[in-house]
Amino acid sequence: MTQETGGFAALGIHPAVLAAITAVGYEEPSPIQAQAIPVILAGHDMIGQAQTGTGKTAAFALPMLSRIDPARREPQLLILAPTRELALQVATAFETYASQLPGVGVVAVYGGAPMGPQLKALRQGAQIVVATPGRLCDHLRRDEQLLSTVKHLVLDEADEMLKLGFMDDLEVIFAALPESRQTVLFSATLPHSIREIAEKHLREPQHVKIAAKTQTVARIDQAHLMVHADQKTAAVLRLLEVEEFDALIAFVRTKQATLDLASALEAKGYKAAALNGDIAQNQRERVIESLKDGRLDIVVATDVAARGIDVPRITHVFNVDMPYDPESYVHRIGRTGRAGRDGRALLLVTPRERRMLQVIERVTGQKVAEVHLPNAQQVLDARIRKLTASLQPLLAEAEASHGELLDRLTAELDCSPRALASALLRKATNGQGLTLAEVEREQPLVPGVAVPRERRERSERAPERGERSSVHRERRAPMPLPEGRVRCRAALGARDGIAAKNLLGAILNEGGLARDSIGRIQVRDSFSLIELPEDGLERLLGKLRDTRVAGKQLKLRRYRED
Ligand code: ADP
Ligand code: MG
C-alpha cells in the first residue's frame, strides 16, 4: 500500500475504488469523508452536514460503490440532487470512481432532455441512478416499479432541494422506494424542514457534522472593500490589475448586471463571459468548460446560474453585489479554495450594506478585513511587473531573430535604440498607461472623491443604476441644453471600456473645472457627449487637447447636432 492512499485504505473501501481515487490523485480523505465513509459502509442511515467544497460527493460515492453488487443489473443506488448541473456532476464523479469496477453503470435522469433515452439506460441495467426529483417523478408516473430494487438512497444538498420546492416530489419518491433501504442525507444547513424529513424517513441516523469554520472558509482569504454603488465596475477593473488570479468568478444580483460587467471586462481585454438564468443550458455548460480549460478567465454570474460550479482553477471570488444571505455568501466563496487549495474572496460593500457584512462575519465566525482600492502607483507597479515577466522569456531569442531589424530601424528612423524601444513598448501595450500620470488619468476616481453627496445618495438607492444608466440612455433624443452649456463630443465610448465617471474625472483633473459646471455625460458605444460651460470653452478644449482616458486620446470637441 502506498503512503498516499493510506488514509483511504484504512477506511475499508473496495480495492477497485481505491485504485480509481489513487488514479485521480486524492491523497487523503477530507474530514467529512473520513467521518462519513465508515458510517455508510457499516450500513447506517446518516445525516451529513458540511459546507460546499468539502468533498461530500466522494464521502457517499466511495462507500456506496463498495456496497454495490455489479452482478445484479438493476437500480441499487439512487442519488437525488437539486439541479441538472449537480446531477451531472455527481454522475461524472461516480463514473470516475467506478472506472475500475467492471459492470457498474451510471445513469443521469434530469429535466430538459428527452425521457426515452433515460428510460432505456435505466432498463439496460445501470445500478446507479442520479436524478433530479422532478424528472424522476415523471418516470415514476410511467413505471411505478422503477425504484423497487433500490437499496441505498442519497439526498445530496437536501436544503437546496427544498428551497427549489421539491418537497412533494420527494414524498412521491420515498413512497416508491422499499422501506428496508439505507438513507443518507447531506445538507449544508439543517433547517426545521430537513429535520422533519430525517425524522420521518431515516432510521436512527448517525450525525456527522463538519463545522464550516474549520473547512472551506478557513482556506479562503477574505476581505471587503467599501465602494459607492456606481463605482463598482471601476473598482473591479482596478482590483483586477493587482490581484494575481488564475480564474475568477464575479457574483452580481441581476441578469443585466452579468451582461454589463462581462462586457466592461471584455472591453478591457479580459477573457470574460456572463452566466445567468436566461442563457441556454448547453451554452452555460460551454461557458463552464471554457473556464475550466482557460479559454475564459472570468465568469460574471448570478447565484442561481453559478450553483454547483466546480472549477479548480478558480482562485478568486468577487462579490460585486452583496449576497442575499450569509448562506449564499458561504456558497459563493466556496467556488474557490476547492479541494484544499487556497482562495481569495473579495466583497464590495456599499455604505448602506455594512450591516449585512456584520451578519456575514457573525455567521462565518470570521472577521472579513477591510482593504482599500490599489492606488495608481500600485496599479503601475503591477503593470510593470507583468510587463517585465512577459518580456523576460523573449529576450535571448528575440535579439537573435530581430536584432538586425532593430539596427535597420534605428538607422532608418534616425533614432536611438531607447527611443525605438519606447515606441515599440507603446505599441505593444496598446497605449496602456505605463507612467504614473497616465495611470492616474485612466482611473481618476477613488471612493469618496468627486461624487457630490446628492448624487451619491441617489445612486445608492438604485444600486443597479449608476454608470450603466448613462450607457442605456444611448438612443434617447437629446435633452434640451441648460442655459450657458454646450454639448461636446469625446472620441471614446463604452466600447473603449470607459464609463461616465472616467470622463468626469479626467475633465475635472485636467480642466480644472468645478464639478457642478459639468452637466450630463452620455457614454455611447463609440463616442460620448458631455455638457460643458460655453464660457471659456476654447481654453478648456485647449487644456484637454492631449488628455487621455483609458490610454486613448479624448479628442474633445464641440458637438453640433443637425
Ligand atoms: P461538495 O459536494 O462538498 O461541495 P465535492 O464533492 O464537489 O464537494 O468536492 C469538491 C472538490 O474536491 C472536487 O473537485 C473533488 O474532486 C475534490 N475532492 C474531493 N475529495 C478529495 C480528496 N480527498 N482529495 C482531493 N480532492 C478531493
Ligand atoms: Mg456536492
Side-chain angles (χ1 to χ4, degrees):
M1 188 56 48
T2 62
Q3 176 82 46
E4 286 77 25
T5 51
F8 279 111
L11 296 173
I13 52 185
H14 194 288
V17 178
L18 207 54
I21 58 176
T22 308
V24 289
Y26 294 0
E27 297 183 342
E28 281 296 320
S30 71
I32 185 83
Q33 290 162 4
Q35 291 192 40
I37 290 173
V39 175
I40 298 173
L41 272 178
H44 296 292
D45 280 8
M46 194 196 89
I47 299 174
Q49 201 185 348
Q51 293 301 330
T52 313
T54 50
K56 292 190 288 291
T57 316
F60 61 78
L62 306 183
M64 290 295 192
L65 276 173
S66 307
R67 306 196 71 210
I68 288 218
D69 179 359
R72 298 178 59 141
R73 315 274 303 157
E74 60 195 18
Q76 296 173 42
L77 166 61
L78 170 66
I79 300 108
L80 295 174
T83 63
R84 167 177 158 149
E85 282 96 340
L86 285 169
L88 283 169
Q89 223 179 75
V90 169
T92 308
F94 264 94
E95 272 162 9
T96 307
Y97 303 143
S99 60
Q100 324 242 354
L101 272 177
V104 172
V106 185
V107 53
V109 167
Y110 48 80
M115 289 181 70
Q118 295 178 354
L119 204 58
K120 198 164 151 216
L122 278 170
R123 298 217 167 107
Q124 270 166 1
Q127 294 89 345
I128 301 159
V129 181
V130 189
T132 54
R135 175 50 68 94
L136 186 61
C137 281
D138 294 343
H139 282 293
L140 278 174
R141 273 189 278 280
R142 296 188 182 181
D143 176 3
E144 49 185 40
Q145 290 306 305
L146 197 64
L147 302 174
S148 59
T149 54
V150 169
K151 297 196 160 48
H152 315 276
L153 168 68
V154 178
L155 301 161
D156 193 15
E157 306 220 4
D159 48 356
E160 287 293 321
M161 281 198 277
L162 292 195
K163 266 191 215 162
L164 294 174
F166 283 133
M167 188 66 198
D168 294 344
D169 290 337
L170 287 182
E171 289 296 342
V172 171
I173 295 167
F174 280 125
L177 286 163
E179 292 244 323
S180 63
R181 56 159 203 272
Q182 179 185 24
T183 307
V184 169
L185 179 155
F186 280 95
S187 200
T189 57
L190 286 190
H192 180 70
S193 49
I194 300 277
R195 288 175 205 278
E196 243 176 17
I197 289 188
E199 205 145 291
K200 211 164 137 197
H201 299 288
L202 273 64
R203 285 173 311 179
E204 297 167 30
Q206 301 207 0
H207 286 251
V208 170
K209 180 173 176 175
I210 306 295
K213 201 174 149 190
T214 59
Q215 287 304 308
T216 329
V217 179
R219 299 211 61 123
I220 298 170
D221 170 26
Q222 302 171 69
H224 82 271
L225 198 100
M226 298 301 305
V227 292
H228 292 297
D230 61 352
Q231 296 174 332
K232 284 182 177 179
T233 305
V236 169
L237 289 173
R238 197 182 293 199
L239 288 164
L240 288 177
E241 297 250 9
V242 301
E243 290 290 329
E244 292 190 2
F245 67 97
D246 195 0
L248 180 150
I249 178 160
F251 283 97
V252 293
R253 284 193 172 179
T254 64
K255 290 170 189 164
Q256 189 58 46
T258 63
L259 302 174
D260 291 343
L261 183 54
S263 56
L265 293 171
E266 275 193 300
K268 281 284 180 189
Y270 292 104
K271 292 183 279 174
L275 198 67
N276 64 49
D278 276 356
I279 293 170
Q281 183 61 39
N282 51 2
Q283 172 63 16
R284 266 196 262 177
E285 275 156 27
R286 270 206 296 280
V287 168
I288 293 169
E289 275 313 305
S290 303
L291 189 65
K292 272 191 188 150
D293 63 28
R295 276 172 297 164
L296 283 177
D297 292 326
I298 304 179
V299 164
V300 185
T302 55
D303 290 275
V304 174
R307 237 177 233 151
I309 289 187
D310 180 13
V311 178
R313 273 186 74 221
I314 297 177
T315 52
H316 283 62
V317 171
F318 277 14
N319 296 281
V320 178
D321 291 334
M322 191 55 98
Y324 291 105
D325 50 40
E327 287 74 26
S328 2
Y329 175 77
V330 173
H331 248 89
R332 284 178 174 191
I333 72 170
R335 300 299 122 214
T336 184
R338 302 298 277 177
R341 288 184 173 89
D342 292 328
R344 179 159 164 80
L346 280 172
L347 176 66
L348 301 191
V349 184
T350 62
R352 57 209 324 271
E353 292 169 337
R354 273 180 217 271
R355 199 128 37 94
M356 188 59 177
L357 173 65
Q358 287 160 7
V359 176
I360 286 174
E361 290 183 327
R362 208 170 51 236
V363 169
T364 58
Q366 276 188 354
K367 191 112 191 78
V368 180
E370 177 165 13
V371 293
H372 298 280
L373 272 188
N375 59 30
Q377 184 65 53
Q378 290 165 314
V379 170
L380 179 64
D381 291 346
R383 284 187 186 175
I384 293 177
R385 209 166 43 238
K386 278 182 214 157
L387 182 64
T388 313
S390 68
L391 291 176
Q392 183 67 43
L394 301 178
L395 289 178
E397 214 226 327
E399 183 167 10
S401 59
H402 287 64
E404 266 174 40
L405 176 62
L406 197 86
D407 293 339
R408 181 175 156 189
L409 288 176
T410 43
E412 269 178 23
L413 295 164
D414 189 21
C415 68
S416 67
R418 188 165 187 253
L420 179 58
S422 306
L424 289 173
L425 260 185
R426 167 123 287 159
K427 215 167 150 66
T429 51
N430 266 329
Q432 187 190 46
L434 286 171
T435 66
L436 194 57
E438 285 173 338
V439 175
E440 272 166 356
R441 220 171 294 142
E442 272 174 39
Q443 302 176 315
L445 273 197
V446 290
V449 176
V451 183
R453 152 150 265 112
E454 173 256 334
R455 209 173 99 102
R456 193 154 65 208
E457 280 168 1
R458 193 160 11 108
S459 59
E460 271 160 29
R461 223 166 303 144
E464 297 307 323
R465 297 272 167 141
E467 75 202 55
R468 268 194 303 278
S469 56
S470 53
V471 176
H472 287 155
R473 257 183 238 132
E474 210 161 307
R475 270 178 210 92
R476 288 195 201 159
M479 296 245 295
L481 274 170
E483 189 70 43
R485 290 244 176 92
V486 291
R487 203 165 268 131
C488 290
R489 180 187 189 280
L492 296 176
R495 76 154 76 126
D496 302 297
I498 61 146
K501 59 175 172 278
N502 306 122
L503 295 172
L504 177 65
I507 295 168
L508 287 175
N509 288 349
E510 305 264 312
L513 289 183
R515 166 64 186 92
D516 58 8
S517 62
I518 302 179
R520 249 161 49 100
I521 299 181
Q522 296 162 272
V523 178
R524 301 198 173 171
D525 191 34
S526 58
F527 66 98
S528 304
L529 296 178
I530 305 151
E531 293 172 8
L532 293 170
E534 186 159 27
D535 197 2
L537 184 69
E538 286 315 311
R539 217 181 42 212
L540 178 68
L541 293 184
K543 270 194 200 167
L544 294 172
R545 207 180 45 219
D546 293 317
T547 299
R548 299 171 85 89
V549 180
K552 295 192 180 121
Q553 276 214 306
L554 196 55
K555 295 192 188 147
L556 197 63
R557 59 171 175 73
R558 189 159 181 173
Y559 179 69
R560 296 181 201 279
E561 286 133 11
D562 36 28

